[in-house]
């Protein structure tokens, strides 16, 4: 689990429409909006960093978005992703050598 | 995770994001954030990673970095950060951070075959000095080397370069930046006579058209990419073209994605030039006033060794092409010769020479690059129809030529890491200059850099084997003279012979021509192509390798001595980004344990050598220069004595702690309470980072490279300044009379760089009149032909192989792999392949596969989906992962002019492990 804080900018007259569109995206919640400047802050939940990046693209693709960028992130310790490394990777010649280059001690 | 905890985290993330972008937040939320940040001290700093050069704000508490965020006042990134930038603060705190010197030892003594054991700094320097003296004694100044970096701070690069060039009189210092933008530099110097871009990042907000040539900006320059996508969203007529050898993240919002075959960018650019000529679209006003046409030899080799002495059997067929190649059909057409002709690579040694040609010659040269010829040659995706591809090429030419359209070309490694890297860079200027779309807001060919101070340090300070500060070169007697004066050296101290570039340093270690190498701020044994050779060479008994690094990299592990370095926010420093913006930061936290800044390491080491160690007569094999005896550097000790130096003065005193520098006192009010561990460790009361910056800046002031005074960069209202900074004003667009004080009054443009302005005359075949004419204030429009890649897929090695970066990791992963979040995001490098290619090899996604080239084999996990879409016949492997070690099998061919390695194209086979 990964929560990102995302800054979105639209023109003030599109603020309501944009917030509604944003709120309609799965995993996205609108937290702050500023009627004068058109600034919005949302959080987005995603499973991993590539989902997070894809999620941002989805926001940028909404109509009337001028800016949409990450501001900050929060990661839950997530064992799942570590286990994504295939177990036989540990047997790699390269990995072993890079960790402790045995052959260099010969 | 429980719902309440998730909601709590969300509201905290949102509140701090809102505060960062200046949205009013509720009193309660404000109080929460304030409470959390109660004892934090915020200060401005710079991102450690890429060449974009984002400003960050850094919060410290009790000697630790507790938070970083995008700097809202930084014009580069306006408060935003990419995912790497966001984790800047965490890179300091990896579990395996090195905190004391480690040396290979047996029974308490240095032993090349021993295991690493902790030693004191004194022990470390004792052994290092002994080994340095051994190599220097046996081989002279050419036998020792420093492998430097585009991630050096300005001051680190300066002390390393001055130690080598002014002290040791060796030009064997070369940065990893050679692998990154040497081709860009060579093209800048040949085209404009001066290095670095004319424009700046604001071009993005001024332009209508952005063309990416071999630059996956979405992953490699994320914040510039966000500016481009913002521009596109707010400016509906903005067009974006992504030219690449495979589909990548930058294609996602592109109007046009052009997938081409390796090296055919050379042909595509000539097609555009031919269209400009045929459509009568040359901007003659601009070209007549500001440009001259030029070309050079085609038979320039591929930057490989010209002997097979060290080649393994499998490498020999490709190596042989360094001496002679048989032209294929396309090359024959493109170079107006016959297919099957054997061409000896006679100009491999003089690849950079060039001469003026006429416009008629230029027209003749681009004539073969018709749409039919170029489309057939360059179409990179076998599944795309030739007709569709032609439509795209034509569209690209239309946008270039449309005189209502402003256009910026961006490129990085696709152009630079290229066997014809200098040519392909020059071709980009060719089209921009033909159209007069250069050096104006929104119009220009813009070379981006990969590293945070490739411009500011490697290039401007001149930590290359051929350079001196401010675009001067060692081979030019006037430049040496000026440097000797500024450095207060006796005449003829500086060595006029160009030293070994980074690939050659590796080869010299293999050959026994260099026996001492000090690696600083980079990881060359993982980053250099064909790495097996160099790792073996490093372990040869009479080579001594020192590696300064905060983490145990591959280079640290193959070294004999590891020195623990302070990291970015643990020292004072300055970086210069890709738009000529110099930015500085203060030391924020102390380095851990005995880790020390690289400035301290060089200064401390320099204390061990005296005038008489280096300034007596020195042998220098191969030296031939006016005013020098062949093969020798003269004895300058007597002249040094006349200048007030004693033969026993040490290099620290002569080069660094000079009377002028020691007047620059520490403590200094600019520090605002921040510390300086370098001063403390030296036991001094002068301020090296400031004194040495000011000394260095003298080279450029009044010479087109003006930097502001040190203190100015620390002012609260300054977020870096774009040089030249003249009368306190930065220069947004160079060569343009409206913005650049160096353009003569009344002129609209002047390409005033001074290098290589005088050239002979000739035609497409060679020089006809050797008398040189000086083309003052003009840029050159080069014709450069298509040339085939030296290694291509064949029956045995049947796939193209390309290496590169991913968003989450920086270079060889030394820092980003220590950040758990980034490591988990992309834990290992996977091999990207087209699903049909996998299927035909009986392999599936997530299979572990062997990737084998003529240079060895490595294993990786196969990926057929995800962010990169390969055309059939093409595989891509990121190089950050030392476990996979992508560069072991990459080819070490380079651009023969720039000596930059081509990591983007060689041949491999892939099979199930
Ligand atoms: S890595 Fe580059 S784009 Fe990302 S924050 Fe750092 S400087 Fe900016």
């Amino acid at each position: 689990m990964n929560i990102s804080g995302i800054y979105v900018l639209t023109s003030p007259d599109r603020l309501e429409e944009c917030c509604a569109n944003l709120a309609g995206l799965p995993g996205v919640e609108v937290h702050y909006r500023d009627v004068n400047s058109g600034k919005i802050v949302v959080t987005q939940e995603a499973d991993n960093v590539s989902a997070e990046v894809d999620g941002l693209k989805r926001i940028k693709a909404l109509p009337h978005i001028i800016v949409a960028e990450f501001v900050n992130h929060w990661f839950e310790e997530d064992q799942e992703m570590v286990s994504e490394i295939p177990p036989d990777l540990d047997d790699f010649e390269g990995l072993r050598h890079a960790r402790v280059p045995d052959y260099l001690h010969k | 995770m429980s719902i309440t905890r998730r909601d709590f985290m969300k509201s905290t993330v949102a509140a701090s994001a809102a505060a960062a972008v200046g949205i009013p937040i509720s009193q309660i939320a404000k109080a929460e954030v304030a409470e959390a940040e109660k004892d934090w001290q915020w200060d401005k700093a710079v991102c450690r990673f890429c060449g974009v050069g984002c400003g960050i704000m850094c919060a410290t508490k009790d000697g630790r970095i507790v938070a970083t965020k995008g700097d809202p006042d930084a014009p580069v990134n306006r408060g935003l950060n990419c995912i790497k930038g966001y984790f800047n603060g965490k890179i300091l705190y990896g579990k395996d951070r090195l905190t004391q010197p480690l040396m290979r030892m047996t029974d308490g003594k240095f032993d090349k075959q021993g295991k690493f054991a902790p030693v004191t700094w004194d022990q470390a320097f004792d052994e290092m000095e002994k080994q340095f003296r051994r190599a220097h004694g046996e081989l002279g100044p050419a036998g020792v080397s420093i492998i430097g970096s585009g991630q050096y701070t300005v001051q680190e690069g300066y002390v390393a370069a001055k130690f080598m060039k002014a002290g040791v009189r060796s030009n064997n210092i070369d940065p990893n930046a050679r692998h990154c933008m040497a081709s860009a530099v060579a093209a800048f110097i040949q085209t404009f006579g001066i290095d670095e871009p004319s424009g700046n990042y604001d071009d993005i907000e001024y332009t209508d058209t952005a063309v990416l040539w071999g630059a996956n900006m979405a992953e490699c320059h994320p914040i510039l990419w966000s500016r481009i996508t913002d521009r596109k969203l707010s400016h509906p007529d903005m067009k974006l073209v992504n030219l690449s050898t495979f589909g990548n993240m930058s294609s996602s919002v592109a109007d046009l994605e052009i997938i081409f075959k390796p090296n055919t960018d050379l042909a595509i650019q000539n097609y555009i030039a031919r269209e400009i000529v045929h459509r009568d679209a040359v901007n003659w006003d601009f070209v007549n006033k500001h440009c001259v046409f030029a070309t050079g030899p085609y038979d320039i080799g591929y930057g490989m060794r010209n002997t097979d002495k060290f080649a393994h059997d499998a490498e020999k067929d490709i190596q042989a092409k360094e001496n002679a190649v048989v032209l294929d059909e396309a090359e024959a057409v493109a170079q107006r010769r016959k297919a099957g002709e054997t061409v000896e690579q006679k100009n491999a040694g003089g690849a950079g020479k060039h001469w003026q040609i006429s416009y008629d010659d230029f027209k003749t040269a681009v004539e073969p690059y018709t749409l039919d010829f170029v489309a057939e040659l360059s179409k990179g995706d076998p599944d795309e129809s030739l007709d569709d591809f032609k439509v795209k090429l034509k569209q690209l030419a239309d946008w270039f030529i449309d005189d209502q359209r402003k256009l910026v070309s961006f490129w990085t490694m696709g152009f630079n890491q290229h066997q014809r890297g200098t040519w392909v860079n020059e071709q980009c200027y060719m089209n921009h200059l033909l159209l007069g779309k250069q050096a104006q807001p929104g119009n220009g060919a813009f070379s981006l850099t990969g590293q945070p101070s490739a411009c500011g340090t490697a290039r401007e300070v001149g930590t290359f084997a051929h350079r001196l500060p401010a675009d001067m070169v060692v081979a030019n007697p006037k430049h040496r003279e000026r440097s000797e004066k500024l450095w207060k050296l006796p005449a003829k101290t500086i060595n006029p012979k160009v030293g070994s570039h980074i690939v050659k340093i590796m080869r010299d270690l293999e050959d026994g021509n260099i026996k001492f190498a000090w690696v600083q701020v980079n990881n060359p044994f993982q980053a250099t192509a064909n790495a097996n050779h160099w790792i073996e060479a490093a372990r040869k008994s009479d080579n001594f390798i020192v590696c300064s690094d905060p983490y145990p990299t591959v280079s640290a592990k193959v070294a004999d001595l590891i020195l623990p370095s302070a990291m970015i926010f643990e020292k004072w420093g300055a970086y210069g980004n890709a738009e000529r913006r110099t930015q500085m930061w203060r030391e924020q936290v102390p380095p851990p344990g005995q880790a020390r800044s690289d400035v301290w390491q060089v200064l401390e080491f320099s204390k061990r050598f005296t005038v008489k160690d280096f300034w007596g007569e020195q042998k220098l094999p191969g030296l031939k220069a006016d005013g020098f005896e062949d093969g020798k550097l003269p004895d300058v000790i007597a002249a040094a004595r006349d200048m007030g130096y004693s033969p026993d003065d040490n290099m620290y005193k002569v080069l660094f702690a000079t009377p002028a520098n020691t007047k620059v006192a520490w403590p200094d009010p600019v520090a605002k309470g921040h510390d300086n561990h370098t001063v403390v460790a030296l036991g001094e009361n002068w301020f090296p980072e400031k004194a040495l910056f000011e000394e260095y800046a003298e080279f450029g002031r009044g010479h087109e490279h003006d930097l502001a005074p040190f203190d100015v960069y620390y002012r609260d209202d300054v977020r870096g300044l774009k040089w030249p900074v003249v009368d306190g004003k930065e220069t947004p667009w160079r060569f343009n009379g409206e913005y650049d004080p160096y353009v003569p009054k009344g002129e609209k443009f002047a390409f005033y760089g001074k290098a290589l302005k005088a050239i002979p005359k000739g035609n497409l075949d060679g020089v006809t009149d050797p008398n040189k004419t000086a083309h003052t204030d003009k840029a050159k429009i080069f014709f450069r032909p298509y040339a085939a890649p030296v290694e291509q897929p064949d029956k045995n090695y049947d796939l193209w192989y390309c290496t590169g970066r991913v968003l989450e990791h920086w270079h060889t992963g030394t820092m980003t792999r220590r950040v758990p979040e980034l490591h988990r995001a992309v834990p290992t490098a996977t091999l990207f392949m087209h699903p049909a290619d996998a299927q035909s090899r009986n392999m599936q996604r997530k299979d572990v596969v062997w990737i084998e080239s003529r240079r060895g084999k490595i294993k990786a996990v196969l990926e057929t989906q995800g962010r990169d879409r390969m055309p059939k016949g093409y595989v891509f492997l990121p190089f950050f992962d030392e476990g996979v070690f992508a560069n072991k099998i990459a080819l070490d061919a380079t651009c023969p002019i720039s000596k930059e390695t081509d990591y983007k194209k060689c041949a491999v086979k892939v099979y199930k492990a």
Side-chain angles (χ1 to χ4, degrees), chain A residues 4-18:
Chain A
S4 18
I6 298 175
Y7 161 59
V8 181
L9 179 67
T10 183
S11 59
D13 55 322
R14 299 286 189 181
L15 189 69
E16 284 315 310
E17 185 188 341
C18 264

Side-chain angles (χ1 to χ4, degrees), chain B residues 47 49-54 80-86 88 221-223:
Chain B
C47 176
F49 298 109
C50 84
V52 173
C54 294
L80 304 178
N81 265 168
C82 80
I83 191 157
K84 289 190 295 294
Y86 183 67
N88 256 296
H221 297 88
I223 289 301

